[in-house]
Amino acid sequence: QVQLVESGGGLVQAGGSLRLSCVASGRTSNRYTMGWFRQAPGKEREFVTAITYSGYYYSGSSTAYADSVKGRFTISRDNAKNTVDLQMNSLKPEDTAVYYCAASGYWTVIRRDWTDYDYWGQGTQVTVSS
């Protein structure tokens, strides 16, 4: 079991920045791809970004971003601290949603379907005002 806890959400004006953090605990020695998803009211959960495992068992690392956030959002992870961060710049009102951290057992491949993720955080609200 892996427990994920997000933090860093809040209210920001359009054009502003926020940094979300996700801390993993439990069986963090396993290898996981870490992702961020978001869900706005009345909409389906959507892929935002993900980053594969990189470490002793796999030297490569890759990231992927939804087209809507490419160039504005940056994902990063620190395996020593069991954290994954999401830096969000140039925020837009359409970025408003609950953001979820997730872990997938597909540890060398980016998966964009939320059903491929095994563990989820409770979510953190991001609200961007116009």
Side-chain angles (χ1 to χ4, degrees), residues 62-91:
S62 61
T63 59
Y65 296 89
D67 288 342
S68 60
V69 307
K70 201 172 294 183
R72 300 188 296 122
F73 290 11
T74 303
I75 189 172
S76 60
R77 68 187 293 172
D78 186 330
N79 289 334
K81 298 181 179 178
N82 294 320
T83 59
V84 58
D85 292 344
L86 178 61
Q87 178 65 43
M88 305 185 295
N89 298 328
S90 302
L91 283 161

Side-chain angles (χ1 to χ4, degrees), residues 3-127:
Q3 293 78 45
L4 303 173
V5 178
E6 305 98 335
S7 63
L11 173 64
V12 65
Q13 288 188 333
S17 299
L18 280 176
R19 188 175 184 88
L20 305 184
S21 292
C22 174
V23 179
S25 60
R27 295 185 63 182
T28 56
S29 60
N30 288 357
R31 300 171 286 283
Y32 296 101
T33 284
M34 300 300 297
W36 287 94
F37 288 75
R38 67 187 182 186
Q39 188 166 18
K43 294 187 177 181
E44 293 186 353
R45 188 168 299 190
E46 66 173 356
F47 173 82
V48 176
T49 180
I51 184 169
T52 58
Y53 167 87
S54 177
Y56 179 81
Y57 298 98
Y58 180 62
S59 60
S61 177
S62 61
T63 59
Y65 296 89
D67 288 342
S68 60
V69 307
K70 201 172 294 183
R72 300 188 296 122
F73 290 11
T74 303
I75 189 172
S76 60
R77 68 187 293 172
D78 186 330
N79 289 334
K81 298 181 179 178
N82 294 320
T83 59
V84 58
D85 292 344
L86 178 61
Q87 178 65 43
M88 305 185 295
N89 298 328
S90 302
L91 283 161
K92 304 175 181 180
E94 51 263 44
D95 294 319
T96 295
V98 177
Y99 283 71
Y100 297 91
C101 175
S104 169
Y106 292 96
W107 51 282
T108 63
V109 179
I110 297 288
R111 308 294 291 194
R112 295 175 180 253
D113 189 333
W114 68 268
T115 61
D116 289 325
Y117 287 74
D118 306 295
Y119 303 102
W120 292 85
Q122 81 288 352
T124 185
Q125 177 71 46
V126 171
T127 303

